[in-house]
Amino acid sequence: MPRDLSDVLHYFGPELAQSGDSQGRHTPERPVSAARSLAPQIIGVPIGDRDVVRAAFTWNLAVEIARLGGRASVIAPDDGSPSPLWPQEGTGPLGVELRPTLAKDLKSLDRIAQQAASTTALRGGEPGLIFVRIPPTWLAAGHSDSGLLRWTLLLTSSRTSDLKEILESTKMIVRSQPQARVGVTIHGAECRKEAETAFGRVAGASRRDLEHDVRSYGLLVDDLHVYRAIVAQRPIGLAHPQSPAARALRDVAQLLLADSQQDPLD
């Protein structure tokens, strides 16, 4: 069932967090459970060729996973030319790896991601996540056997045009894999009601049109530190750990890491 956004109300003001507590809706920080498997879970993230903001959020979520004690990496199709979406390739802060690949379609990208997960598992260590950038145009091709569509994270603002885009992505994913786990994270909302309404529109349309529940993975705050971090190519959580954006990223990372361990996709 979809989650609500009560666990991130404190980014809009302390009084909202207190209100959530009084109504029994505010959930405490979720502990990370013991892992059932050391193999990292793969999560596909649709990101366009010029979508710098979504790419930045994805990279920063990977860093937050590492800050929480997990392992994390990002795999992204790359034609070999310098990309404005990502920092320098290779191993970065806290061991988070950015790995460009010459994959040309969803099938080859899936194979590369599965190989990376197997290799990471063989090395041992803490569990974690592999974020895989999926060019949105590749979703339209549809591959029902693609592991990349088993768990996807859709990042969207609350603008109507973006919500329509996310709903179309949800339709393509669910039509290819009816049992897919589709998660939605809202960013850029100016108030609690706006964020809840945005998620509710996607969740309601998905349930009505597809008979499929999407999961809420909270809210990411767009503040000045996000754009400064993009320009500086430094993780927000390391450069500005006390900023609202950093704390929101940590909450979303906790939700993702907890689901990867408590409800892993075999």
Side-chain angles (χ1 to χ4, degrees), residues 143-252:
H143 292 280
S144 60
D145 60 342
S146 174
L148 296 181
L149 300 185
R150 297 179 65 198
W151 188 10
T152 52
L153 175 64
L154 306 181
L155 301 169
T156 180
S157 76
S158 55
R159 292 192 298 266
T160 297
S161 58
D162 286 347
L163 296 178
K164 288 182 178 178
E165 174 189 315
I166 289 303
L167 185 57
E168 285 304 310
S169 296
T170 301
K171 289 179 180 178
M172 287 186 281
I173 293 167
V174 173
R175 285 170 182 166
S176 293
Q177 288 214 10
Q179 303 304 315
R181 177 190 299 172
V182 181
V184 176
T185 295
I186 305 295
H187 67 85
E190 296 183 358
C191 64
R192 168 194 171 185
K193 183 174 179 58
E194 182 181 323
E196 290 183 333
T197 299
F199 175 74
R201 290 174 65 184
V202 175
S206 178
R207 189 180 299 114
R208 181 186 65 246
D209 300 339
L210 305 173
E211 297 183 348
H212 192 90
D213 282 332
V214 299
R215 299 191 182 193
S216 172
Y217 286 115
L219 167 71
L220 293 175
V221 179
D222 289 12
D223 68 8
L224 187 58
H225 291 109
V226 173
Y227 302 100
R228 286 176 175 169
I230 291 173
V231 173
Q233 293 193 332
R234 289 196 62 197
I236 300 168
L238 299 181
H240 307 284
Q242 300 305 317
S243 66
R247 289 184 285 126
L249 281 160
R250 191 171 184 84
D251 272 6
V252 175

Side-chain angles (χ1 to χ4, degrees), residues 14-189:
E15 70 280 1
L16 294 179
Q18 293 168 2
S19 174
D21 284 335
S22 66
Q23 297 175 27
R25 294 185 305 163
H26 181 71
T27 54
E29 182 173 304
R30 185 186 308 192
V32 176
S33 65
R36 300 183 198 177
S37 171
L38 292 177
Q41 297 282 292
I42 296 170
I43 181 166
V45 189
I47 300 172
D49 293 340
R50 299 179 182 275
D51 200 338
V52 176
V53 173
R54 284 178 183 164
F57 278 137
T58 301
W59 170 249
N60 278 278
L61 283 171
V63 173
E64 289 304 311
I65 294 292
R67 290 184 70 204
L68 289 167
R71 292 176 296 177
S73 60
V74 177
I75 296 176
D78 189 346
D79 61 4
S81 59
S83 172
L85 297 181
W86 311 105
Q88 185 175 357
E89 67 179 82
T91 302
L94 304 179
V96 177
E97 182 183 8
L98 174 62
R99 179 180 174 184
T101 173
L102 295 177
K104 297 300 183 183
D105 54 30
L106 200 61
K107 186 174 183 179
S108 58
L109 182 60
D110 180 22
R111 183 172 60 252
I112 291 168
Q114 297 293 343
Q115 290 173 345
S118 298
T119 300
T120 303
L122 289 173
R123 289 202 297 261
E126 296 299 322
L129 286 170
I130 297 176
F131 294 88
V132 181
R133 180 214 160 201
I134 302 176
T137 54
W138 293 7
L139 289 177
H143 292 280
S144 60
D145 60 342
S146 174
L148 296 181
L149 300 185
R150 297 179 65 198
W151 188 10
T152 52
L153 175 64
L154 306 181
L155 301 169
T156 180
S157 76
S158 55
R159 292 192 298 266
T160 297
S161 58
D162 286 347
L163 296 178
K164 288 182 178 178
E165 174 189 315
I166 289 303
L167 185 57
E168 285 304 310
S169 296
T170 301
K171 289 179 180 178
M172 287 186 281
I173 293 167
V174 173
R175 285 170 182 166
S176 293
Q177 288 214 10
Q179 303 304 315
R181 177 190 299 172
V182 181
V184 176
T185 295
I186 305 295
H187 67 85

Side-chain angles (χ1 to χ4, degrees), residues 3 30 215 217 255-264:
R3 302 184 184 96
R30 185 186 308 192
R215 299 191 182 193
Y217 286 115
L255 293 171
L256 293 169
L257 189 57
D259 268 8
S260 75
Q261 297 178 53
Q262 295 170 1
D263 188 17

